[in-house]
Amino acid sequence: MKDSPLQGDDARLAAMGHRPELQRSHSTWSMLGLAFAVLNSWTALSASLSISLTSGGSTSVIWGLVTAGFCNLCIACSLAEFLSAYPTAGGQYHWVAGKSLLSWPSTVPILSWITGWINVAGWVALVATNSLLSSQLIVGVISVLHESYVPQRWHQFLIYIGLTIGSFIINAFMNSILPAIYRGAWPDGVAWLLGLLQGGLGVTAFDAVAHMIEEVPNADIEGPKIMVTCVGIGVFTGSIFLIVLLFVAGNMEAVTTSAAGPLLQILVDATKSNAGGICLLMLPLVCLVFAIISVMTTSSRMIFAFARDGGLPASRFFAKVHPTLKLPLNALILTVVVVIAFGCIFLGSSSAFNAIISASVVALDLSYGIPIAINCLQGRRSLPERRWKLPNALGWFVDLVALSYIALTTVLFVFPPSSTVTGSSMNYCIAAFAVIIIISVFQWFVDGRKNFTGPRVDITIDALDTVPTREELDSSMHEKELAGRG
């Protein structure tokens, strides 16, 4: 066997069977900015107030965030160990394969396949969620400015499409500036628990760090630190923000029924001025629009990574990196197409807002839970040596909290907003998951079971034959230096 010329981050990536193709242009601070922009805790929490206020009330808003924040911090700590062991853009589906190879080799393809599809679906749904929340705020502004205006779903849909396409243009053609940019009545107990969806939305998607990890230097230690830190910052600052917001909320019934939306109505009531409320709304609205950009970036990298391992239809096409733009353009286009399809669901159902948000949170949480569950079933002894490692007792604690939370919310978040359910008000999250499962199962029998073996996680002669030569690495490093100077 020839000696590997690779060192550091690229060597670890080669050990997992992949050629380094993306530039490691994100510093720790810019990646922390991206991660926090993806969480977008303040804006996600305030823009989705209608979920908790109509379910569990103001107590659900505050304590729901505290509960969801603590549990998601446990999930982040658990996943940080995986990220340190396997710093690859594949994230969860790669971590499942890495562990399963050690004890359950026959399960590698199917477990990795399932996790990858769920994670891809969750990230695409999260892009749709951010576009939907942004369009809702914009419709609220129009309602305040024009009292005679009657909002229609197709108005919000057109704004949704415009925001999505605008984010695509920035992702596709302004990629070099992104690092700078990132610098009805249920019983009371059940209603309160349903309000956790808002808190969960405000602190989920921290695996963005994993899907961008191939663009971060010193990935196996910086990645885990960023993942845990961004959740902690989101919970702490988000709690203070919501407490202040609710103190000035005024009449809750007027807030929850306002055509302007809860957030804008609170701001208008607090300032006693339409103009003042709209001006204050601009900050969360701008943050939410930037979140669409960062979530779309992460979604495209997840699709690229999964396609690189043959997990999607036409994988060879979606795994291509554009030679000029130096990004996975085809994966980016797929994200936009599916997000627009999600928007069409919104046109047909009054509860699609909750369904799309539920789909993103539930899918992401399920993708977090699968590797953690396998880790626990194997006695937390299967991960290789890594630089980020929890003490065994603490590791068991955070793993069990994480799995308990995921099990509870997976069931709760597919409940309809009200116990009185009609065809238009049911939570279509279940239907969305059914479509994803049908497509993934069909694709598995057509192509996956024959060609998908899961990601590689060990150095082999074949793997070394596919990684860059020393000359290629030297040339790449020289180009990066020139780009940095430029």
Side-chain angles (χ1 to χ4, degrees):
M1 180 183 290
K2 63 183 180 181
D3 293 329
S4 171
L6 301 178
Q7 294 181 354
D9 295 310
D10 289 342
R12 282 186 289 273
L13 189 59
M16 291 178 278
H18 295 303
R19 182 190 300 271
E21 297 181 89
L22 301 173
Q23 295 181 342
R24 296 188 182 271
S25 57
H26 286 275
S27 68
T28 299
W29 286 105
S30 71
M31 184 54 63
L32 180 60
L34 180 143
F36 192 65
V38 169
L39 262 65
N40 199 24
S41 298
W42 290 31
T43 306
L45 291 167
S46 57
S48 57
L49 274 172
S50 57
I51 298 171
S52 289
L53 288 178
T54 55
S55 295
S58 57
T59 58
S60 180
V61 173
I62 301 300
W63 291 108
L65 174 59
V66 172
T67 304
F70 173 73
C71 294
N72 275 275
L73 192 59
C74 289
I75 299 172
C77 289
S78 294
L79 295 185
E81 292 194 283
F82 289 88
L83 182 57
S84 184
Y86 303 111
T88 169
Q92 293 91 303
Y93 85 89
H94 207 132
W95 302 339
V96 166
K99 291 187 54 47
S100 301
L101 276 171
L102 297 167
S103 301
W104 309 334
S106 62
T107 67
V108 169
I110 187 65
L111 283 175
S112 183
W113 179 274
I114 292 171
T115 307
W117 271 87
I118 291 173
N119 199 206
V120 166
W123 272 102
V124 175
L126 193 62
V127 179
T129 295
N130 280 275
S131 292
L132 197 58
L133 290 173
S134 300
S135 61
Q136 185 185 52
L137 294 183
I138 293 172
V139 168
V141 171
I142 298 172
S143 298
V144 167
L145 293 175
H146 304 279
E147 293 183 4
S148 61
Y149 171 67
V150 180
Q152 301 292 329
R153 278 205 293 273
W154 68 269
H155 298 167
Q156 188 173 343
F157 175 73
L158 291 178
I159 298 171
Y160 170 96
I161 297 297
L163 291 169
T164 301
I165 293 175
S167 298
F168 165 76
I169 292 171
I170 293 174
N171 265 285
F173 305 109
M174 304 179 189
N175 186 56
S176 61
I177 70 170
L178 292 183
I181 290 177
Y182 298 141
R183 294 213 206 230
W186 288 100
D188 289 347
V190 177
W192 190 92
L193 289 170
L194 290 176
L196 285 173
L197 178 57
Q198 186 216 12
L201 175 64
V203 290
T204 197
F206 42 81
D207 60 312
V209 183
H211 305 309
M212 298 290 293
I213 202 66
E214 293 177 27
E215 299 171 57
V216 179
N218 202 19
D220 61 334
I221 188 63
E222 296 301 326
K225 289 195 300 187
I226 294 168
M227 180 179 283
V228 174
T229 301
C230 69
V231 177
I233 294 173
V235 175
F236 178 72
T237 60
S239 298
I240 296 174
F241 174 69
L242 285 180
I243 290 171
V244 173
L245 198 64
L246 292 175
F247 259 116
V248 299
N251 187 331
M252 280 297 177
E253 185 176 351
V255 166
T256 55
T257 58
S258 171
L263 176 58
L264 181 53
Q265 189 61 52
I266 290 173
L267 296 176
V268 168
D269 291 345
T271 60
K272 310 297 183 186
S273 164
N274 288 347
I278 292 171
C279 287
L280 289 176
L281 185 72
M282 287 302 103
L283 178 59
L285 178 57
V286 170
C287 289
L288 202 51
V289 170
F290 278 119
I292 303 172
I293 300 169
S294 53
V295 173
M296 186 179 288
T297 304
T298 308
S299 176
S300 67
R301 299 314 191 266
M302 175 61 212
I303 291 173
F304 159 75
F306 196 41
R308 185 174 58 183
D309 282 313
L312 294 175
S315 285
R316 200 180 286 264
F317 176 77
F318 292 118
K320 286 184 178 179
V321 174
H322 193 279
T324 304
L325 299 174
K326 302 298 182 184
L327 52 85
L329 182 63
N330 296 338
L332 198 59
I333 293 172
L334 178 62
T335 299
V336 173
V337 170
V338 179
V339 167
I340 291 175
F342 267 115
C344 293
I345 300 173
F346 175 73
L347 279 176
S349 170
S350 61
S351 64
F353 178 80
N354 285 66
I356 293 172
I357 294 175
S358 297
S360 61
V361 176
V362 170
L364 289 174
D365 278 354
L366 280 175
S367 74
Y368 303 155
I370 294 173
I372 296 172
I374 296 173
N375 191 21
C376 289
L377 290 172
Q378 296 185 352
R380 297 198 83 253
R381 292 189 298 268
S382 298
L383 280 176
E385 280 302 314
R386 53 206 179 275
R387 296 171 70 186
W388 175 280
K389 186 175 182 180
L390 296 175
N392 197 47
L394 179 59
W396 274 111
F397 174 76
V398 299
D399 285 354
L400 293 176
V401 170
L403 291 175
S404 300
Y405 173 79
I406 290 169
L408 174 65
T409 55
T410 297
V411 176
L412 284 173
F413 292 170
V414 296
F415 279 25
S418 168
S419 58
T420 304
V421 184
T422 65
S424 62
S425 67
M426 74 167 283
N427 190 336
Y428 284 92
C429 179
I430 287 286
F433 266 108
V435 171
I436 294 167
I437 291 170
I438 290 170
I439 294 174
S440 62
V441 169
F442 176 78
Q443 180 64 15
W444 171 257
F445 284 105
V446 169
D447 178 63
R449 61 177 178 158
K450 296 180 290 186
N451 300 317
F452 185 78
T453 58
R456 289 173 287 184
V457 296
D458 295 304
I459 280 284
T460 63
I461 293 175
D462 291 338
L464 289 173
D465 287 340
T466 64
V467 299
T469 64
R470 182 182 298 276
E471 289 75 20
E472 289 173 326
L473 277 177
D474 290 343
S475 175
S476 175
M477 291 298 294
H478 180 62
E479 290 175 1
K480 290 179 183 178
E481 290 176 3
L482 290 177
R485 292 170 186 168

